[in-house]
Amino acid sequence: MAAIDLAGVKKTYPGNVTAIHPLDLNIADGELLVLVGPSGCGKSTLLRMIAGLETVTEGEVMIGGGPVNKREPAERDIAMVFQNYALYPHMSVRGNLEYGLKNRGTPRAEIDARVEEAARILEIGPFLERKPRQLSGGQRQRVAMGRAIVRHPKAFLFDEPLSNLDAKLRGQMRVEIKRLQRSLNTTSVYVTHDQLEAMTLADRVVVMNAGRIEQIGKPTEVYERPASLFVAGFVGSPPMNLFGTDELKTEAGGSLPESIGANTGTIGIRPDAVTLSANGNPAIAVTGTIELIEPVGGESHVYLRLPKTDRVMILVVRGHEGVSLAADLTVHLPVGALHQFDAGTGRRID
Amino acid sequence: MQTKRVVFSNRGLPYALLAPQLAITFVFFLWPAGQAIWQSFLREDAFGLKTSFVGVENYLRLLREPDYLNSLSVTGVFAVSTTVLSMGLALLLAAAADRMIRSRDAYTTLLVWPYAVAPAVAGVLWWFMFNPTIGIMSYLLEQLGYDWNHRLSGTDAMIMVVIVAAWKQISYNFLFFLAGLQSIPHSLSEAAAIDGAGPVKRFFTVVLPLLSPTTFFLMVVNIVYAMFDTFGIIHATTEGGPSQATNILVYKVFEDGFIGLNLGSSAAQSVILMVIVIGLTVIQFRFVERRVAY
Amino acid sequence: MVENRPWLTFFSHAILILGVLAVAFPVYLAFIASTHPQNAFISGLVPLLPGDRMIENYGTMLDAGISTSGAPPLGVMMWNSLVMALSIAIGKIIISILSAFAIVYFRFPFRLLAFWAIFITLMLPVEVRILPTFKVVADLGLLNSYAGLSIPLIASATATFLFRQFFITVPDELTEAARVDGAGPMKFFRDILLPLSRTNIAALFVILFIYGWNQYLWPLLITTDESYYTIVMGIKRMVQVADSQPNWNFVMATVTLAMLPPVLVVILMQRLFVKGLVETEK
């Protein structure tokens, strides 16, 4: 068990391409930290730098308080779960689990005990003698996890481990990873591009974009108080409605509430915060035409075309209460639910 | 050049791993090739006592030598005939086998094994069949009124070595044509059938054009084969004769160098052959690149 | 097939059967000839049906050879061919897989140069550098030796490229997983890469065994001592009897035995053979 600390860590590739701008990150002992962002944002690079699979251009990576920059991956006492599982195809499941332990000279009895333990936890006992190709996707995923568990490492590193599974299995495994991590209480860094996965798994989420950290925080914080325009747009599904201050002013009939500051360039509102009636709270009212209704079970996503700016606003309504295609609809944006972002920097304004 | 994202960082190890290959390459390939190039600019006197630098004289002499010019044209005739005969027959067989579902593998087995027969051995097999006194082929031809004698007739000798070379190469061409035919989507033939094209028409208008990458590839491979891998056939049967009629370039290099001991000329011939191989290899690789790009 | 055309199917079978017969006929004839006494070839047409001397003929050849034509017993020549074919096949595989490993999994100065040095061997077949290569082998004292028969032929660009091509398709994650599991380069090579290359090695072995067995020009050049003759080149010595008809029955017994091992390899390992043939052309 160990904390992981990154201090001023930077990654530059040959040809002066900067993949990671200098950043600091402290991961507490036993924490499950999720790195999330669009592809190419540097999240995998960062993970691989912690693993020792990429060199660090500048700064220091520390695992358990000591610097590890110069250490081989095997010497860092970490275990990694890969996106395509990277199981050794010619070895049995048991062989896969044992390989790392054997290379470390672990005594035979100890190896057997650990494999036994991992097989029990992950319920892969019946497959131990099979080859990876004889397993289903979900089973392979478990074996990949097992290979990490047997090592009793200081930290687990997950590189998009669920993205090769179908939606249903992904949901199940997500729950299992979370439970496993809780019970083993091992420090974990988890990389994903799926914001839902990030929100459901993480103790803390790190949202990354273009090699920089946009926000670090608990999932609820990131959702409720996105620190930047990028985070606001990336987290949440359907995505937050974002309007230029002028656009909203036009739609609202020429004026906006006092609470909108002079620096505010963009105003956002989550689709589920948009209401059909003001209920006496201060709100901005806008009117548009219903262009599309997507029923998604208990609620519907309504796409509202705003006539003056020709923008589309998405809102979530329960059932289908009082909405019909092509009808005009007036909705209310409660002032308390508005997110404001600086016109210049795109950072949040409170 | 393509590499792995992940590489190992040892310093000395890669050199140690490459050492055996590079040592053999240098000692038995690069050094002799360099020697050949150097030798091609030298001439030894009649007693082998004195060697002098003569520039491109050896090359100029070669190009004036009727035997060499004859060898060039013999090689051309031999390579083209072998390629056309072997590829034609192989394509016919592959097209027929492609129609078969259950018997395809059995036919393949029965057709591919000549690949394993050494060129020299193949030569002896046919040499026996064409033997003017006891051979079955010469007997049959005699019944048809043709007096076969490859020991006297240059044409007969050429026909014989072409048949041997083609016979041995059919299996290779067959395998590649069959693979090519099977990679053509079945739906294309079905579409053409719905458009009203019969089997023969389909073959020429749909299948053959789609097979052209394979055909081109095989053409280059067959020419290389006919030029360089058929030494054994010639040496075991006609030995270049009668009167130079089957003296292909690789045989002539050997003859002039080992039997005639004309080092300068043999070296110059080697160098010309190298240039030809390099040219053919470049064509082949450009083609492979294009094939990958499809 | 798209539609059912019985006549076309019949026609196809006919072509294939003709093809199979044409391909097999010379070999059949050779085998038949090897089962007859010598006087069957004195005049007229060769026999078309098996004779009764098979055991005697093969026995004579394997044990004693034909002293008059200066060829050693077939047993010796076949042994030499086997040694040569195996040395070439195994040697090529070893040095090629090692150099492919170096080129794909390491970055080091002169890597590109090494790659081109290997590549260029593709353009230098023995046939075009006969004399100087002979001279090198002679200077090294390797004439009339197994080393001389095999070592100069074991450098191969094709085999190296085959392994390189295969290594490139091995997922990077596997290497990373092995590194995380504490495997250094040679351990990774032995534990992961080598087992994964099994089929490629086997396919290449089939092709290279045939290549080595069928070598002709090279043994012809560097062996003058009968005890190093290989069977494929030994045939030539037998048919070369000056001005007289060769002993056809013995020659054809030799031919049959010379063909047997590589042909058996192709037939018994057809799948690997086809894979090897196709892969080495990539």
Side-chain angles (χ1 to χ4, degrees):
Chain A
M1 311 295 140
I4 299 172
D5 300 288
L6 309 181
V9 163
K10 179 183 175 187
K11 176 75 190 179
T12 314
Y13 283 112
N16 239 359
V17 184
T18 304
I20 305 282
H21 296 279
L23 58 79
D24 299 308
L25 184 60
N26 302 303
I27 305 161
D29 185 8
E31 184 180 23
L32 172 51
L33 183 96
V34 175
L35 301 176
V36 67
S39 62
C41 72
K43 56 190 190 300
S44 278
T45 308
L46 196 58
L47 185 80
R48 294 161 53 78
M49 284 160 83
I50 297 173
L53 295 170
E54 298 273 1
T55 55
V56 178
T57 313
E58 265 175 39
E60 196 78 67
V61 176
M62 280 167 287
I63 299 177
V68 294
N69 283 27
K70 294 254 152 61
R71 291 210 201 148
E72 278 288 300
E75 300 163 347
R76 297 188 180 196
D77 204 5
I78 46 98
M80 191 153 170
V81 178
F82 294 87
Q83 177 171 3
N84 64 7
Y85 318 137
L87 300 178
Y88 310 121
H90 58 295
M91 295 184 192
S92 65
V93 169
R94 185 187 292 281
N96 268 281
L97 298 185
E98 288 177 352
Y99 189 64
L101 296 174
K102 276 189 189 160
N103 286 344
R104 278 176 176 68
T106 315
R108 188 72 240 178
E110 173 81 18
I111 293 180
D112 288 341
R114 292 211 197 168
V115 169
E116 188 68 24
E117 177 202 18
R120 183 178 47 77
I121 296 175
L122 291 164
E123 298 167 1
I124 51 175
F127 322 125
L128 278 179
E129 308 310 326
R130 291 199 198 160
K131 292 278 171 64
R133 64 166 177 280
Q134 295 167 299
L135 304 178
S136 69
Q139 289 165 343
R140 282 179 212 180
Q141 222 288 323
R142 282 162 191 272
V143 176
M145 301 263 297
R147 197 164 62 177
I149 291 176
V150 291
R151 296 260 317 279
H152 293 180
K154 283 184 185 157
F156 291 138
L157 306 178
F158 296 93
D159 192 2
E160 309 226 10
L162 303 182
S163 55
N164 281 4
L165 298 177
D166 64 45
K168 185 162 175 244
L169 213 48
R170 204 181 309 152
Q172 284 173 13
M173 287 308 295
R174 205 164 62 205
V175 175
E176 239 176 277
I177 289 179
K178 178 118 180 168
R179 200 167 51 208
L180 197 66
Q181 200 271 340
R182 284 270 176 284
S183 69
L184 298 173
N185 203 28
T186 305
T187 314
S188 302
V189 185
Y190 188 108
V191 164
T192 180
H193 64 270
D194 179 349
Q195 51 98 16
L196 179 69
E197 210 168 287
M199 303 299 273
T200 49
L201 272 174
D203 293 328
R204 279 193 305 156
V205 174
V206 177
V207 183
M208 291 187 68
N209 181 36
R212 290 191 170 84
I213 292 179
E214 291 277 341
Q215 185 173 10
I216 306 177
K218 293 199 170 72
T220 45
E221 278 172 22
V222 171
Y223 184 78
E224 285 164 8
R225 297 173 49 79
S228 67
L229 258 179
F230 175 81
V231 179
F234 186 76
V235 175
S237 174
M240 184 185 281
N241 296 298
L242 293 168
F243 295 94
T245 312
D246 292 340
E247 286 178 320
L248 201 59
K249 201 182 214 168
T250 311
E251 291 293 347
S255 68
L256 289 174
E258 301 259 310
S259 59
I260 308 295
N263 291 335
T264 302
T266 308
I267 300 171
I269 183 147
R270 297 249 175 235
D272 58 0
V274 179
T275 55
L276 295 180
S277 64
N279 293 329
N281 297 322
I284 302 170
V286 295
T287 304
T289 312
I290 297 177
E291 198 173 76
L292 182 70
I293 303 172
E294 281 181 344
V296 286
E299 53 191 33
S300 300
H301 300 162
V302 176
Y303 292 72
L304 199 64
R305 174 76 61 183
L306 304 180
K308 291 171 194 147
T309 55
D310 204 33
R311 291 284 313 272
V312 172
M313 175 182 279
I314 305 174
L315 58 142
V316 176
V317 298
R318 289 201 171 284
H320 314 287
E321 48 177 300
V323 292
S324 53
L325 212 53
D328 282 352
L329 182 69
T330 299
V331 296
H332 303 267
L333 320 181
V335 171
L338 295 180
H339 303 261
Q340 299 179 43
F341 300 97
D342 187 278
T345 63
R347 305 300 297 177
R348 178 181 189 85
I349 301 174
D350 283 307
Chain B
M1 193 173 69
Q2 218 173 337
T3 34
K4 291 275 169 184
R5 182 180 72 204
V6 201
V7 290
F8 294 104
S9 53
N10 304 48
R11 259 167 217 284
L13 189 57
Y15 296 105
L17 293 168
L18 277 166
Q21 170 100 310
L22 289 181
I24 290 172
T25 302
F26 182 79
V27 174
F28 297 109
F29 285 76
L30 300 182
W31 172 254
Q35 286 286 307
I37 294 171
W38 173 237
Q39 291 262 346
S40 73
F41 297 116
L42 302 179
R43 158 138 323 128
E44 276 186 2
D45 64 14
F47 306 101
L49 300 173
K50 208 161 77 55
T51 312
S52 52
F53 186 84
V54 293
V56 295
E57 178 60 27
N58 285 325
Y59 293 93
L60 294 177
R61 272 182 183 229
L62 263 187
L63 296 177
R64 285 194 303 262
E65 190 187 311
D67 277 359
Y68 190 71
L69 297 177
N70 169 62
S71 177
L72 271 175
S73 70
V74 162
T75 308
V77 171
F78 175 68
V80 170
S81 315
T82 303
T83 302
V84 170
L85 181 63
S86 176
M87 283 178 67
L89 291 175
L91 179 58
L92 183 68
L93 290 167
D98 187 42
R99 290 182 53 82
M100 306 302 166
I101 293 154
R102 267 172 305 169
S103 55
R104 192 195 296 137
D105 287 349
Y107 280 125
T108 303
T109 307
L110 291 171
L111 285 169
V112 297
W113 58 266
Y115 177 86
V117 177
V121 173
V124 174
L125 286 176
W126 286 88
W127 192 52
F128 178 54
M129 292 191 11
F130 277 116
N131 184 297
T133 37
I134 57 162
I136 181 140
M137 295 303 278
S138 50
Y139 171 79
L140 290 176
L141 288 166
E142 205 179 300
Q143 301 300 306
L144 295 172
Y146 185 83
D147 187 17
W148 174 274
N149 194 340
H150 60 257
R151 286 179 187 156
L152 299 174
S153 156
T155 314
D156 288 0
M158 176 58 92
I159 291 173
M160 182 177 76
V161 289
V162 165
I163 290 177
V164 180
W167 176 82
K168 206 192 117 45
Q169 192 67 358
I170 282 180
S171 46
Y172 185 93
N173 295 336
F174 171 81
L175 272 178
F176 277 84
F177 271 135
L178 188 60
L181 286 170
Q182 295 195 320
S183 70
I184 295 174
H186 206 193
S187 55
L188 284 175
S189 272
E190 289 171 343
I194 290 167
D195 284 341
V200 177
K201 184 156 194 185
R202 276 207 303 274
F203 183 80
F204 284 102
T205 56
V206 178
V207 176
L208 214 50
L210 287 169
L211 209 55
S212 61
T214 309
T215 311
F216 183 73
F217 161 79
L218 283 177
M219 236 164 64
V220 179
V221 170
N222 276 274
I223 286 173
V224 171
Y225 158 80
M227 287 189 71
F228 298 99
D229 296 340
T230 50
F231 173 86
I233 297 176
I234 304 289
H235 187 259
T237 59
T238 63
E239 297 192 327
S243 58
Q244 309 283 328
T246 56
N247 198 356
I248 60 170
L249 292 169
V250 275
Y251 191 76
K252 191 164 162 52
V253 179
F254 166 80
E255 203 183 29
D256 290 356
F258 261 82
I259 299 162
L261 291 176
N262 188 346
L263 300 185
S265 168
S266 174
Q269 292 183 38
S270 285
V271 173
I272 293 175
L273 280 175
M274 274 182 225
V275 172
I276 296 176
V277 189
I278 290 171
L280 287 168
T281 313
V282 168
I283 293 175
Q284 190 176 344
F285 268 72
R286 293 194 76 136
F287 164 70
V288 168
E289 264 167 38
R290 215 187 57 190
R291 183 171 58 163
V292 169
Y294 270 130
Chain C
M1 269 294 116
V2 180
E3 69 270 83
N4 195 18
R5 303 245 177 149
W7 63 266
L8 199 58
T9 306
F10 174 78
F11 187 61
S12 300
H13 274 295
I15 286 177
L16 285 165
I17 289 165
L18 268 178
V20 168
L21 291 179
V23 155
F25 187 62
V27 174
Y28 171 78
L29 218 57
F31 175 70
I32 294 304
S34 72
T35 62
H36 281 274
Q38 206 174 318
N39 57 24
F41 305 94
I42 290 170
S43 64
L45 190 59
V46 290
L48 292 174
L49 292 170
D52 53 3
R53 291 295 191 86
M54 179 173 163
I55 293 167
E56 292 92 321
N57 286 349
Y58 282 88
T60 313
M61 290 309 288
L62 282 168
D63 277 358
I66 317 171
S67 49
T68 49
S69 62
L74 287 193
V76 173
M77 292 201 287
M78 288 189 78
W79 171 253
N80 291 340
S81 286
L82 184 70
V83 171
M84 182 181 180
L86 288 178
S87 315
I88 290 177
I90 295 169
K92 265 193 193 229
I93 287 171
I94 292 174
I95 68 166
S96 301
I97 201 168
L98 290 179
S99 44
F101 178 54
I103 283 177
V104 175
Y105 282 96
F106 295 86
R107 253 172 239 155
F108 51 93
F110 306 116
R111 177 166 150 274
L112 213 57
L113 188 71
F115 179 80
W116 282 106
I118 293 168
F119 182 81
I120 214 155
T121 60
L122 210 59
M123 308 183 180
L124 299 170
V126 194
E127 287 78 5
V128 308
R129 51 187 169 81
I130 300 175
L131 264 182
T133 316
F134 173 78
K135 193 167 178 317
V136 168
V137 173
D139 290 347
L140 290 173
L142 295 176
L143 296 182
N144 292 315
S145 73
Y146 288 133
L149 277 173
S150 50
I151 293 176
L153 298 179
I154 66 176
S156 159
T158 18
T160 310
F161 285 177
L162 171 87
F163 285 121
R164 171 175 171 265
Q165 216 65 34
F166 172 68
F167 290 166
I168 287 172
T169 66
V170 172
D172 279 339
E173 284 80 359
L174 230 45
T175 320
E176 295 179 333
R179 279 182 76 182
V180 172
D181 273 342
M186 288 321 284
K187 210 175 175 69
F188 168 72
F189 178 73
R190 199 192 62 206
D191 291 347
I192 316 284
L193 218 45
L194 216 48
L196 289 180
S197 311
R198 263 189 325 222
T199 359
N200 282 292
I201 291 175
L204 201 56
F205 181 83
V206 171
I207 298 294
L208 293 179
F209 179 84
I210 297 168
Y211 166 86
W213 184 276
N214 288 347
Q215 281 303 312
Y216 182 74
L217 173 60
W218 190 243
L220 194 72
L221 295 184
I222 72 149
T223 60
T224 46
D225 177 349
E226 284 176 14
S227 58
Y228 286 102
Y229 279 10
T230 64
I231 189 161
V232 172
M233 63 156 291
I235 294 169
K236 172 68 182 173
R237 307 272 173 193
M238 283 182 211
V239 294
Q240 227 171 10
V241 220
D243 292 329
S244 69
Q245 282 289 336
N247 297 324
W248 285 114
N249 53 343
F250 292 141
V251 171
M252 287 304 150
T254 314
V255 162
T256 308
L257 286 175
M259 283 186 291
L260 202 59
V263 168
L264 276 183
V265 164
V266 167
I267 291 174
L268 297 179
M269 295 184 234
Q270 194 183 330
R271 211 162 282 274
L272 286 174
F273 163 69
V274 172
K275 181 179 162 67
L277 210 55
V278 174
E279 302 270 322
T280 47
E281 288 301 347
K282 271 185 191 158

